[in-house]
Amino acid sequence: DDFDDRPGSGLDTYKKFKILIKHALNIGWMKGDPMVGLKRPKGGSIRPWSEEEVAQFKERWPLGTRQHLAFCLTEFLGQRRSDTHRMSWSDINPRTGRIKVVQQKTGTKLEIPIHEDLLYVLDDAHAARGKVVGLNDPIIKTEAGIGFTVAGFSDWFRDAITAASLPLDFKPDGLRHLAGVRMSEAGCTDEEMMAVLGHRSATSLRIYTKGAEQRRLAENAISKLEQNRHKPSPTRCFKFGELPKKERGTGT
């Protein structure tokens, strides 16, 4: 009940208690599950960023800033914070133009072609070092020159969002959703989108693309309505008394 106004935190707490209680049951510390019958709370939904909001962030944090680099890595690769903050220069293969990702949450291994717009951002970041970049160096570093923890990266990214005059409900994972929306609107298949985002089923993918799917279906529906408006009426002209008589009781 304490998390009633924070559904995401409530769901996270629920999951952690389930794990602890299951462990306690397995080792004999508990005889029954006190969470039986407790309804699983619904998590808060994360909405995708709009293109206008992306532009607003980049206006505040232009090319050359660490915030811009982190934003573009998330925007064009569509990975979670837990994966973005760990990316290093050694993950990039200059020969193939791909970056390797091993998703921390699922262990899924991906090789993703680097978007042309992201290539320019990475090239700028690489040149700005002013020295040879160590292969194992993280792409995004703290001011102290070391890699972020996932919690530190989240807090730092949220500060950047606030500095861009965007509200706190704008989350880094909303850029992962935006990547799914963009691919869906570009006509990518489920398999193609799953190859980038790392989903193992089309069902989980729908969470990221349902907005784009709704808009596409709505556009198709309105387009069909507009086309149908200009078609001639399917009804035929007639005069009463001139139609062929039907025999009573036969329906003919």
Side-chain angles (χ1 to χ4, degrees):
D1 292 342
D2 292 339
F3 295 102
D4 185 57
D5 60 337
R6 290 172 289 165
S9 297
L11 179 59
D12 181 65
T13 303
Y14 176 90
K15 290 178 179 178
K16 289 175 179 176
F17 270 115
K18 291 292 286 186
I19 294 171
L20 288 171
I21 291 172
K22 182 179 180 181
H23 178 65
L25 290 169
N26 288 338
I27 63 177
W29 283 8
M30 299 179 68
K31 300 299 182 182
D33 185 352
M35 293 183 70
V36 171
L38 182 63
K39 185 180 294 186
R40 176 188 174 100
K42 295 182 179 180
S45 59
I46 299 177
R47 69 171 184 81
W49 288 56
S50 70
E51 300 297 345
E52 292 77 16
E53 293 154 356
V54 169
Q56 182 174 334
F57 184 96
K58 291 182 178 179
E59 182 178 359
R60 173 61 181 84
W61 302 108
L63 179 67
T65 61
R66 291 180 299 132
Q67 290 84 350
H68 187 96
L69 173 61
F71 190 92
C72 290
L73 278 174
T74 311
E75 173 190 7
F76 291 110
L77 295 176
Q79 301 304 305
R80 302 177 183 89
R81 289 168 291 174
S82 57
D83 301 317
T84 302
H85 88 281
R86 294 184 297 113
M87 292 178 181
S88 67
W89 294 103
S90 62
D91 294 326
I92 299 173
N93 187 330
R95 184 178 60 82
T96 63
R98 298 191 185 99
I99 185 168
K100 291 183 178 180
V101 177
V102 180
Q103 294 187 330
Q104 188 177 57
K105 182 177 180 179
T106 63
T108 303
K109 296 181 179 181
L110 306 171
E111 285 192 40
I112 307 172
I114 300 175
H115 191 285
E116 182 180 19
D117 291 346
L118 179 57
L119 282 175
Y120 282 98
V121 176
L122 288 171
D123 188 61
D124 178 81
H126 192 280
R129 301 286 176 168
K131 60 181 181 179
V132 177
V133 178
L135 287 179
N136 294 322
D137 282 352
I139 296 175
I140 308 169
K141 291 183 177 182
T142 66
E143 289 188 3
I146 60 176
F148 279 100
T149 63
V150 64
F153 178 76
S154 297
D155 292 340
W156 172 75
F157 207 116
R158 290 183 188 280
D159 289 342
I161 292 172
T162 302
S165 300
L166 293 165
L168 286 177
D169 66 340
F170 283 71
K171 301 182 182 298
D173 282 349
L175 293 175
R176 177 168 164 83
H177 285 247
L178 174 61
V181 168
R182 284 175 171 173
M183 287 187 287
S184 179
E185 291 179 340
C188 297
T189 65
D190 287 352
E191 289 76 13
E192 289 169 341
M193 289 185 282
M194 289 163 62
V196 173
L197 299 178
H199 292 284
R200 296 178 178 177
S201 70
T203 301
S204 60
L205 179 67
R206 291 288 180 268
I207 298 174
Y208 292 79
T209 62
K210 61 182 181 181
E213 185 71 8
Q214 180 273 323
R215 288 191 294 273
R216 183 183 64 80
L217 293 174
E219 287 176 0
N220 289 344
I222 298 302
S223 177
K224 290 177 180 178
L225 279 174
E226 291 174 343
Q227 293 172 14
N228 189 67
R229 180 183 58 188
H230 302 295
K231 291 182 179 180
S233 173
T235 58
R236 294 172 294 174
C237 296
F238 70 95
K239 291 183 179 180
F240 287 106
E242 294 185 353
L243 291 176
K245 301 297 182 181
K246 293 183 179 180
E247 296 182 10
R248 293 182 180 274
T250 64
T252 59

